Amino acid sequence: MIMKTIVNKIVLSAATIGLLIASCSDKDLAVQPRQSISSETALTSVNSVDAAVIGVYATLKSRVLYGRDFMAYGDVMADNAVATNKSGRLVGEGRNNVNAHYANWGTAYSAINDCNLVLDAIPRISAATATQRDRWEGEMRFIRALLYHDLMRSYAYAPTFIVSASNRGGVVLRSTAVDNKDTAAAFRPARATIQQCYDFIINDLTIASTKLQTSARAGAPHFATRAAAQALLSRVQLYNGNWAAARDAATAALTGGVGTLTTAANHVAGWRASTHPESIFEVRFAIAAESLGVNEALQTTYTSMGAIGAPSTNGGWGDMVPNAVTLNAVGITGFPSALSIANTAALPTLTRTSDVRNQLFEWGGQRTNPRFIECTKFFGKSGFLNVDNVPVIRHAEVLLIRAEAHYRLGNEAAALTDINTLRTNRGLTAVTLTGNDILEEILRQRLAELAMEGHRFHDLKRLGRDITKDPSVGFTLAITDFRVLAPIPNGELIGNPNMQQNPGY
Amino acid sequence: MQGAMAGVQVVSNNGVPGGNVTVRVRGVGSINASSTPLYIVDGVQIVTGNSNSLGNGNGPEGLVSSNLLNAINPDDIESIDVLKDPASASIYGAQAANGVVIITTKKDRAGKSKINFNSYFGVSRVIKKLDVLTATEAVQLGYEANANRFGAGSANVTTFLNGVGATVKNGIVDPLENTDWQDLAFRSGFVQNYDLSVSGGNDKTTFFLSGGYNRLQGHVLASDFQRGSLRINLDHKVNDKLSIGSSLTLSSYSSNGVFDGGSFGNPVRNGFMSFPTNKPYNPDGSFRQAANGQWFGGLDNFLTYTSLNKNFSNVKNLVGGINATYNINKYLRWRSTFNLNYNYTEEKQFSDPRGSGASVNGSVSKASTQIRDFQTNHTLNYARTFGAKHAVSGLLGAEYRYNLQTSFAAFGQGLPLPQFQTLSSTATPLSPNEGFGDFKLLGFFAKAGYTYDDKYIVNLTVRRDGSSRFGEDTKFGLFPSISTAWRISREKFMGKFGENNDMKLRFSYGVTGNQAGIGNYASRALFGLSGEYLGLAGGAPSQLGNAALGWEENETFNYGIDFSILNRRVTAEIDYFSANRRSLLLAFPLPPSSGFSSITRNTGVLQNRGIELGLNTVNFSTKNFRWTTNFNFTYVKNKVVKLNEGQNNIGTGIVVGRQLNSIFTYKFAGVNPADGRTMYYDTLGNITYTPQLRDRYYLDKSSDPLWFGAFTNTLTFKNFELRFQFQYQGGNYIQNSDATFVQRAGSTFDRNQLKSQMLRWQRPGDMTYVPRPWAGAAQPGSSSYTFFSDRFWERGDFLRLKEVTITMYLDKKTLNRLGLTNASFYVSGFNLATWANYSMFDPELQGNDFGTYPQAKQMTMGLNLTF
């Protein structure tokens, strides 16, 4: 009898459970992710907007932005650096192969959309103070301008030099966010004109300059400041050909209180310091986990030795090295014309001028044969292997922007003063020049000062000068060649008749 | 199960001990979601796949086995059945779209207790060694590459020759001492296996207990596998109405693995690529390294990796369940089951500071993954025969499944003393990572069947399944199916045919759902914390989401005929199927300037059509001799029917109107006899040396095999049985990435090459397909020798003698004398011979061959005793 009762109970419970399941409905299938939150509840509090702002800064560390490409490509695609084919990376870019180009489109627009989400959210955050709102708006407009200018540098011509036959305009301008699938699926963007884009960028930087604080936010130069907005504005106006505006913004940036020009005595040390003393805006790589790794970080891209001054030790790849153009500009001679020697051979002694900048170049390591002279500007200076802060804009560049602006405005004396300020702070003597020689000296100083920092390609492009590739590559890339502009990703063109691809792709 | 069934393709992806097999039932079933069938062991859905967490960004992926199917001890398996068409598979649940593999373990039987012992031992060798150059030959090609480019008297030639310690007379390299690095990479494998099981019971209670141990030393250095397992099946009849049962499997399996793919630590790849002038050891016995001034080129001495590094995984697995069956009356039965599948995987990788970890002073990664999967299933069964001819059946049921997966991983650097290999000893602990994911499935189903006189058979099934992965309004899908059969041999008009023969026509139609392989929260719009800056956490939208996301569907029409003729000595099953895999999840591209690259939508359609043939014959049957044959053949071809609206292709491999994984590449035209440059065809069919993107063309086939099958013979003579099985597969191309490294005509003279490269072009008029050695691998005005063209897509067709087994059974008299019920002794050989035209190790893989751990030839001998 007892047995039977137990049995009945078992049957009854099983049946009950079965019936419970049979009565389940949609809501019983509810699960909750723990590593993400629903988009609707995001960006409704001060803390969440703060996190979104940090998220945008974090994107700048991507390889296709300041993690590598915007430092390395501007040189390897120009006339002053070569790819070594040690890991195979940058070889296509070094030969200006079709499609081997900047690929910042997707990442930049993702970050721009994140900027727009914050800008759209600011009015909704009633708990925020006016100071917080200004800071959020200033920082987002600054980063949006930086991203847009870099998009323009990749995919479009600068107003100072446009190849009309190949000009398909600027890039897609967006000042509001895409935040649901229906607006995203219906989005059929078109390219704005080059001038519309520059106006948009200049407007962002002008507003950012008023919203951002003069006294640096704690963490400068790693967060945007008024000086950073003005420094970037001077660069943008230089590309825009508005010399007076470039000059004035440069002066404001140089006196903005963020960073200071290094001297001949401390210039090399500046490149060994975690934060570069000249930086007006710098992307911070703070901890080892932020490294882009042994294949793509700047240290491994530029160098192959394990320690500075120790070419027998092994470190990174050393995929990209300066060629004679850069080495001569910083005052190094005595290297073979092939730029390299076999690992087993004795190291030729390099002859160096008094220019302190040449101390940032030395014989590299022996990771794969042969060895080259490498640039040591990025050598794990944040304290970990392959972790380097990236100076986005620094005093020397702004000084050279102002020199160029003065020259264009006919003020040769002021241009020479700026040039000589830089020269004497780099171990060189002052020069006296006139006319076009001044412009050439400015460009030579840009080459020497900003080598391997991603400027040369854009300088030649905005000036309309052909790119005489290294003899090992063996051709001259006319500045009118379609390969000067990057291809717009295919996803942008599918089903969108409004969009125009750059010519040749 | 390999080769046993038509329509079921079982491919060993590699030869890793305890490694994965890919099982495809009737071809590839999805574009982005999973194509893996559902596995059911004794009614429990098994979590399949790999439980690896490591290998993402923290160094090269390690080849350790975390294949969850290893939890099942093959000796416990009684039978494996595969349900191929949706109509028969549908009752098995929401994930039946890719077919169902039903594994039944050995059951307990009442009666005298039976003890079974099975054990085997064996050795294995790599399936083949690649024919590579000797030191003298490799240096000869390197010398020519330098001399051709820079001149015989150039500094480059001198540097190269000095580097490898060689001398040249009259353009011929003097003999050099050779190191066979493949001999260092491969070794004799060894396998041992023991199983003991006991079964028995009385008419109330029956039991089956088994324990097994398997140990395998891999035929590649530093790889091994071992497994211990325990199983208990217990059934008890409480009374006439109620019976209860339970089963429990516990297993633990561990493996040490080597690094995979293009990694510098992969002994397979570096075994055939290490330059043969290199010596593995210094005179003091330490490992020779590039840093010691030796000529290793771009490679490292892999022995430092295999001997100093660690790459270990351990999986603990529990599958347990209880069930109860209650017979309400003669015709009606209630059955409930509750099952738990619990899995814990632990992985560890250590990079020694004396070897690969030197640049970071040693590093260690550790990860653990836990899976908890709960299932419950309740059915009400009805079966009744009316009169002699009407059989009716019905079933109502519901099931529920909850799957939770959590993981933890961390990585650390800075372990200067190799004796310390734990995370807590690292100077810099890095990237701690916690993972969480869960999903729920809920299904209701009903089935009705009617059979008239075993002649006309109809079954109807309908399911309603919901998955938490899909959008609010699209969580549930409705999946109906019908199957019919007509036993034509019982018809009067067939006359006497039906007395000793049988013939049945079958038709079925069904729709099943697929949600496997789809992200747990795929339909949601999400905002996540992503990246840090200055020690602060950053956030960003991570996914736009699509609330209308729903099930992928497989709609199949199946037409079949079964017959058994010549007094049932020839039986055959022939099927034709046409499957529309529709509502496939595809990424709908968004303009990237929206800030997002895509959203996922149910838009794709893929068609799978094929025929299957299974033939069993008794060729010869006398008292002492019997010969039977099983032959099966499958042809299956898929075609992409539809992608997103207005979209004709995704990349180059997924194109509307073509097979999935189509191959779009350049056409190699050989080597110019005049100057030894590589030639390609351009889009007009003319020769070009520098092909452009537009010159690519579609190969006639894809990387998915079109046909496969097996041919098995069993011959029995008195107490002896001989069984041999051939396996074949083809109609596909393999992407031979390794070939781009070993077919460079010596032009990157720091890596060894295949022997075929000695056929290099040497002087005008040479007709060869191997180009002129040229330092840097690109002669002026031509493309690099590593340029990926159809030269490196190789046909995957092969025929293989998969298995030969000779078994000797002891006769009755001896058995009685020894007190045994049954005893046999067997010798088996596996992968003994392969006929293929493939330049690397093994064509039994699909897709990309890049440092793949090759399979082994294996010889085993074993003993099976029953008391």
Side-chain angles (χ1 to χ4, degrees):
Chain A
M1 267 321 275
I2 293 166
M3 195 65 198
K4 194 158 187 184
T5 319
I6 293 169
V7 166
N8 286 338
K9 276 186 179 161
I10 291 170
V11 172
L12 203 66
S13 358
T16 314
I17 292 162
L19 287 171
L20 277 176
I21 288 169
S23 66
C24 282
S25 65
D26 285 19
K27 68 175 188 293
D28 299 291
L29 284 175
V31 291
Q32 205 52 53
R34 293 192 192 169
Q35 280 154 331
S36 307
I37 54 171
S38 164
S39 287
E40 292 100 66
T41 57
L43 295 182
T44 51
S45 66
V46 171
N47 284 344
S48 65
V49 174
D50 270 338
V53 166
I54 292 296
V56 174
Y57 278 102
T59 315
L60 295 177
K61 296 183 295 180
S62 314
R63 175 178 64 75
V64 294
L65 299 179
Y66 284 92
R68 186 191 75 186
D69 292 1
F70 270 85
M71 286 288 118
Y73 281 15
D75 291 80
V76 80
M77 282 166 44
D79 58 356
N80 64 316
V82 290
T84 59
N85 196 16
K86 291 203 172 196
S87 80
R89 291 178 184 82
L90 305 183
V91 171
E93 288 77 11
R95 300 183 61 86
N96 299 86
N97 284 350
V98 179
N99 292 317
H101 214 298
Y102 287 105
N104 53 325
W105 188 280
T107 309
Y109 276 109
S110 170
I112 286 169
N113 198 55
D114 297 346
C115 291
N116 289 339
L117 280 169
V118 172
L119 290 169
D120 289 353
I122 292 172
R124 295 197 303 263
I125 315 295
S126 47
T129 64
T131 318
Q132 276 170 325
R133 289 167 198 273
D134 280 356
R135 180 167 64 74
W136 287 337
E137 182 175 355
E139 293 189 5
M140 291 300 94
R141 284 187 186 272
F142 168 78
I143 294 180
R144 190 166 74 177
L146 178 66
L147 292 163
Y148 264 123
H149 190 231
D150 288 342
L151 283 169
M152 289 299 287
R153 295 204 291 173
S154 308
Y155 297 95
Y157 292 107
T160 52
F161 179 79
I162 296 173
V163 181
S164 320
S166 307
N167 179 19
R168 300 288 183 272
V171 295
V172 176
L173 291 178
R174 279 196 71 78
S175 52
T176 54
V178 169
D179 59 359
N180 70 68
K181 79 169 170 62
D182 299 317
T183 49
F187 187 43
R188 298 279 180 278
R191 297 173 70 167
T193 66
I194 291 174
Q195 206 52 57
Q196 284 168 342
C197 293
Y198 270 83
D199 291 346
F200 184 93
I201 296 165
I202 289 162
N203 178 51
D204 263 354
L205 289 172
T206 310
I207 295 173
S209 298
T210 64
K211 298 280 181 185
L212 288 166
Q213 300 294 307
T214 39
S215 57
R217 172 181 178 181
H222 306 119
F223 287 117
T225 55
R226 180 172 292 180
Q230 285 157 335
L232 184 58
L233 182 60
S234 74
R235 182 197 280 176
V236 171
Q237 291 290 18
L238 184 75
Y239 281 70
N240 191 30
N242 186 343
W243 317 116
R247 175 196 62 201
D248 297 345
T251 302
L254 291 171
T255 55
V258 184
T260 175
L261 191 69
T262 54
T263 65
N266 67 13
H267 180 69
V268 174
W271 280 106
R272 303 291 171 247
S274 163
T275 299
H276 198 296
E278 282 199 1
S279 284
I280 302 175
F281 181 66
E282 184 172 282
V283 174
R284 177 92 168 112
F285 286 75
I287 59 171
E290 290 175 276
S291 170
L292 293 187
V294 295
N295 292 325
E296 294 181 332
L298 282 173
Q299 179 179 357
T300 186
T301 303
Y302 289 176
T303 58
S304 63
M305 62 274 205
I308 289 174
S312 63
T313 56
N314 272 341
W317 284 110
D319 279 321
M320 171 186 153
V321 297
N323 71 354
V325 173
T326 300
L327 296 174
N328 290 335
V330 296
I332 293 179
T333 48
F335 51 87
S337 61
L339 301 173
S340 62
I341 55 158
N343 281 347
T344 44
L347 290 174
T349 310
L350 301 174
T351 311
R352 297 168 187 268
T353 65
S354 61
D355 191 336
V356 294
R357 291 172 296 200
N358 64 38
Q359 293 168 32
L360 297 165
F361 298 87
E362 64 183 61
W363 280 113
Q366 55 194 353
R367 177 79 175 264
T368 78
N369 200 37
R371 77 169 94 225
F372 292 84
I373 299 171
E374 297 172 345
C375 169
T376 60
K377 284 185 176 179
F378 301 95
F379 212 88
K381 57 189 195 281
S382 292
F384 303 98
L385 189 75
N386 290 315
V387 183
D388 284 280
N389 285 358
V390 178
V392 173
I393 193 157
R394 60 187 179 91
H395 270 257
E397 186 199 343
V398 179
L399 195 61
L400 287 166
I401 290 170
R402 193 170 68 180
E404 194 173 337
H406 279 312
Y407 168 78
R408 302 283 184 185
L409 291 164
N411 190 349
E412 296 193 353
L416 270 180
T417 307
D418 282 343
I419 293 168
N420 285 328
T421 302
L422 184 67
R423 284 182 61 95
T424 50
N425 278 299
R426 295 295 181 258
L428 298 170
T429 52
V431 288
T432 313
L433 302 163
T434 56
N436 191 55
D437 289 349
I438 293 177
L439 179 62
E440 293 310 315
E441 176 61 16
I442 292 168
L443 295 175
R444 188 156 44 245
Q445 288 304 323
R446 286 185 69 93
L447 193 50
E449 180 65 32
L450 304 172
M452 316 303 264
E453 293 176 57
H455 288 275
R456 180 68 176 170
F457 179 81
H458 305 293
D459 283 346
L460 295 172
K461 188 177 150 198
R462 72 181 166 84
L463 295 167
R465 297 189 178 192
D466 290 346
I467 300 169
T468 312
K469 300 295 292 183
D470 185 78
S472 66
V473 179
F475 62 87
T476 293
L477 184 75
I479 206 64
T480 51
D481 193 292
F482 77 94
R483 287 173 287 172
V484 166
L485 299 183
I488 293 190
N490 269 331
E492 201 67 43
L493 301 154
I494 294 169
N496 180 7
N498 302 335
M499 195 67 201
Q500 269 197 303
Q501 178 59 284
N502 280 326
Y505 294 107
Chain B
M1 147 171 168
Q2 212 163 8
M5 277 160 280
V8 183
Q9 185 195 14
V10 183
V11 175
S12 302
N13 299 321
N14 52 44
V16 177
N20 271 349
V21 293
T22 300
V23 177
R24 294 278 174 269
V25 177
R26 292 184 166 177
V28 180
S30 182
I31 295 174
N32 287 320
S34 171
S35 291
T36 305
L38 176 69
Y39 287 83
I40 294 187
V41 179
D42 293 338
V44 185
Q45 292 180 19
I46 296 295
V47 179
T48 52
N50 272 330
S51 52
N52 291 66
S53 299
L54 285 186
N56 302 321
N58 290 338
E61 183 157 353
L63 273 185
V64 287
S65 172
S66 55
N67 174 9
L68 296 174
L69 286 176
N70 276 331
I72 307 159
N73 178 359
D75 282 290
D76 287 342
I77 294 174
E78 177 92 44
S79 67
I80 298 178
D81 207 5
V82 180
L83 303 179
K84 295 179 286 197
D85 69 296
S88 57
S90 65
I91 206 67
Y92 278 98
Q95 296 137 300
N98 296 317
V100 184
V101 178
I102 298 173
I103 298 171
T104 310
T105 64
K106 288 175 180 160
K107 283 281 161 285
D108 29 4
R109 287 190 185 88
K112 182 174 162 260
S113 293
K114 200 167 85 177
I115 300 168
N116 182 272
F117 175 72
N118 180 27
S119 174
Y120 60 83
F121 299 83
V123 289
S124 62
R125 283 301 288 182
V126 66
I127 198 157
K128 77 172 190 195
K129 264 170 66 182
L130 296 184
D131 197 7
V132 293
L133 301 176
T134 63
T136 318
E137 291 165 335
V139 171
Q140 178 71 35
L141 289 188
Y143 162 74
E144 290 178 20
N146 280 292
N148 288 344
R149 177 165 176 194
F150 301 107
S154 66
N156 293 67
V157 168
T158 318
T159 305
F160 169 68
L161 292 175
N162 289 344
V164 296
T167 51
V168 170
K169 281 190 203 75
N170 301 325
I172 305 293
V173 172
D174 294 325
L176 290 162
E177 200 185 329
N178 186 53
T179 301
D180 187 334
W181 284 89
Q182 288 191 89
D183 281 349
L184 294 164
F186 299 125
R187 62 179 179 186
S188 279
F190 185 71
V191 59
Q192 50 183 311
N193 187 78
Y194 311 91
D195 280 290
L196 186 66
S197 67
V198 186
S199 63
N202 54 31
D203 53 6
K204 287 287 255 184
T205 305
T206 55
F207 68 93
F208 173 84
L209 300 176
S210 89
Y213 177 72
N214 177 286
R215 189 184 173 94
L216 211 154
Q217 173 183 283
H219 51 284
V220 174
L221 221 54
S223 61
D224 63 32
F225 174 82
Q226 63 175 317
R227 172 184 57 215
S229 64
L230 203 72
R231 168 174 277 275
I232 304 168
N233 290 348
L234 199 61
D235 287 289
H236 177 69
K237 258 190 195 151
V238 178
N239 56 32
D240 286 348
K241 299 239 172 208
L242 180 71
S243 54
I244 52 174
S246 79
S247 71
L248 184 69
T249 311
L250 293 168
S251 62
S252 168
Y253 48 100
S254 305
S255 69
N256 285 293
V258 293
F259 290 121
D260 187 19
S263 151
F264 291 129
N266 179 350
V268 176
R269 187 159 177 269
N270 290 352
F272 60 76
M273 272 177 41
S274 288
F275 208 68
T277 58
N278 290 324
K279 299 281 173 295
Y281 306 105
N282 291 314
D284 66 0
S286 60
F287 296 110
R288 216 169 242 208
Q289 285 297 359
N292 299 343
Q294 293 302 308
W295 183 273
F296 264 91
L299 306 180
D300 291 356
N301 184 346
F302 65 78
L303 294 171
T304 60
Y305 291 75
T306 51
S307 56
L308 300 177
N309 291 350
K310 279 203 174 58
N311 184 19
F312 173 79
S313 91
N314 173 264
V315 183
K316 293 174 190 73
N317 198 79
L318 178 152
V319 182
I322 52 169
N323 61 70
T325 307
Y326 186 77
N327 296 316
I328 297 162
N329 59 36
K330 235 167 82 184
Y331 314 110
L332 203 57
R333 198 175 79 220
W334 177 278
R335 184 176 164 85
S336 289
T337 65
F338 299 88
N339 300 306
L340 183 70
N341 207 326
Y342 179 76
N343 184 285
Y344 181 79
T345 303
E346 207 175 352
E347 292 163 273
K348 179 150 185 168
Q349 288 178 0
F350 169 69
S351 203
D352 196 284
R354 294 165 293 178
S356 61
S359 63
V360 294
N361 226 348
S363 68
V364 62
S365 308
K366 173 130 195 201
S368 67
T369 309
Q370 288 190 64
I371 300 171
R372 199 179 76 206
D373 193 280
F374 170 76
Q375 302 157 24
T376 178
N377 179 300
H378 306 268
T379 51
L380 190 62
N381 275 283
Y382 177 78
R384 189 167 181 182
T385 310
F386 294 94
K389 292 186 171 174
H390 304 273
V392 176
S393 68
L395 180 148
L396 275 176
E399 66 184 4
Y400 170 80
R401 180 175 176 191
Y402 178 65
N403 181 293
L404 170 71
Q405 182 162 350
T406 57
S407 65
F408 176 76
F411 172 63
Q413 290 178 341
L415 292 148
L417 303 173
Q419 294 90 328
F420 293 91
Q421 303 184 355
T422 58
L423 269 177
S424 47
S425 313
T426 57
T428 324
L430 289 169
S431 36
N433 193 319
E434 185 182 337
F436 172 90
D438 63 348
F439 68 87
K440 290 175 181 173
L441 292 172
L442 179 64
F444 309 99
F445 47 96
K447 184 174 176 176
Y450 172 71
T451 303
Y452 175 75
D453 195 21
D454 200 22
K455 195 153 69 179
Y456 309 107
I457 303 159
V458 183
N459 282 298
L460 291 164
T461 309
V462 63
R463 290 189 65 96
R464 186 165 183 269
D465 283 295
S467 166
S468 62
R469 288 174 169 163
F470 299 125
E472 280 309 316
D473 306 327
T474 44
K475 277 193 167 55
F476 280 86
L478 194 70
F479 306 106
S481 69
I482 178 167
S483 71
T484 59
W486 176 25
R487 196 175 294 276
I488 195 167
S489 52
R490 286 179 70 101
E491 292 291 350
K492 284 209 178 75
F493 60 79
M494 293 298 281
K496 292 196 167 175
F497 176 85
E499 285 175 18
N500 290 312
N501 300 305
D502 190 21
M503 185 178 283
K504 189 160 99 177
L505 298 179
R506 291 178 280 110
F507 166 76
S508 70
Y509 165 84
V511 183
T512 44
N514 189 20
Q515 59 99 49
I518 293 166
N520 283 332
Y521 313 109
S523 60
R524 313 283 189 87
L526 297 174
F527 183 92
L529 287 181
S530 62
E532 69 263 84
Y533 191 72
L534 271 173
L536 302 168
S542 49
Q543 177 173 297
L544 266 180
N546 176 6
L549 205 67
W551 290 82
E552 289 195 349
E553 292 181 343
N554 173 13
E555 178 191 48
T556 299
F557 294 87
N558 194 87
Y559 309 86
I561 177 165
D562 300 345
F563 59 84
S564 166
I565 52 172
L566 300 174
N567 289 329
R568 302 185 196 274
R569 279 176 66 160
V570 176
T571 62
E573 266 181 58
I574 303 168
D575 281 275
Y576 167 79
F577 63 89
S578 169
N580 287 313
R581 317 297 298 241
R582 60 190 188 199
S583 303
L584 300 185
L585 262 55
L586 287 181
F588 176 75
L590 297 174
S593 58
S594 66
F596 297 90
S597 57
S598 64
I599 49 171
T600 310
R601 302 209 298 196
N602 293 85
T603 47
V605 178
L606 183 71
Q607 190 183 62
N608 260 313
R609 283 183 179 166
I611 50 167
E612 297 164 359
L613 165 69
L615 187 67
N616 285 292
T617 58
V618 180
N619 306 321
F620 208 90
S621 182
T622 66
K623 187 173 166 242
N624 284 330
F625 179 67
R626 186 177 162 87
W627 173 25
T628 60
T629 299
N630 171 285
F631 173 78
N632 66 65
F633 170 81
T634 305
Y635 176 89
V636 53
K637 187 167 182 176
N638 61 47
K639 190 170 89 176
V640 177
V641 177
K642 182 174 164 286
L643 300 171
N644 288 304
E645 292 79 14
Q647 192 182 28
N648 193 46
N649 63 299
I650 298 175
T652 59
I654 304 173
V655 184
V656 171
R658 289 190 178 277
Q659 252 183 292
L660 207 58
N661 302 318
S662 282
I663 300 159
F664 192 51
T665 189
Y666 301 93
K667 199 176 178 86
F668 183 59
V671 167
N672 188 339
D675 57 13
R677 286 190 291 166
T678 48
M679 306 187 290
Y680 300 89
Y681 291 109
D682 71 10
T683 181
L684 301 170
N686 299 323
I687 296 293
T688 176
Y689 296 93
T690 51
Q692 306 295 310
L693 281 172
R694 61 169 180 268
D695 296 329
R696 291 177 294 174
Y697 79 112
Y698 276 102
L699 253 68
D700 53 333
K701 299 190 175 71
S702 87
S703 55
D704 299 330
L706 285 179
W707 42 264
F708 54 87
F711 178 59
T712 312
N713 282 287
T714 311
L715 289 88
T716 320
F717 179 69
K718 291 188 174 168
N719 296 334
F720 291 89
E721 183 188 277
L722 166 69
R723 188 182 119 91
F724 57 95
Q725 185 185 72
F726 289 95
Q727 182 199 333
Y728 61 92
Q729 176 179 310
N732 62 313
Y733 283 91
I734 296 167
Q735 184 183 356
N736 192 349
S737 293
D738 277 330
T740 61
F741 289 87
V742 293
Q743 296 188 26
R744 294 180 177 180
S747 294
T748 36
F749 33 85
D750 53 5
R751 289 154 202 215
N752 206 358
Q753 306 281 294
L754 292 184
K755 202 74 144 194
S756 60
Q757 301 306 292
M758 288 306 280
L759 296 170
R760 81 277 187 203
W761 185 95
Q762 285 171 286
R763 58 193 66 80
D766 281 359
M767 300 294 285
T768 175
Y769 63 92
V770 182
R772 184 186 191 200
W774 190 268
Q779 292 189 64
S782 73
S783 301
S784 169
Y785 297 168
T786 63
F787 186 76
F788 213 100
S789 65
D790 60 4
R791 181 182 167 209
F792 300 120
W793 280 101
E794 295 191 37
R795 282 183 181 277
D797 306 359
F798 72 90
L799 170 68
R800 165 166 292 169
L801 179 54
K802 189 72 190 173
E803 184 196 340
V804 179
T805 299
I806 300 170
T807 312
M808 189 192 84
Y809 297 93
L810 285 190
D811 58 57
K812 277 263 158 4
K813 221 155 76 188
T814 322
L815 285 174
N816 285 338
R817 206 171 61 234
L818 295 172
L820 292 167
T821 321
N822 239 319
S824 62
F825 173 77
Y826 55 91
V827 180
S828 297
F830 299 94
N831 296 335
L832 294 181
T834 303
W835 294 269
N837 194 9
Y838 183 62
S839 66
M840 301 308 282
F841 291 102
D842 187 5
E844 192 189 327
L845 64 89
Q846 283 167 38
N848 190 359
D849 194 357
F850 192 46
T852 308
Y853 189 119
Q855 292 204 60
K857 286 183 186 181
Q858 198 182 59
M859 289 293 298
T860 57
M861 51 197 282
L863 185 68
N864 194 337
L865 303 174
T866 309
F867 302 93

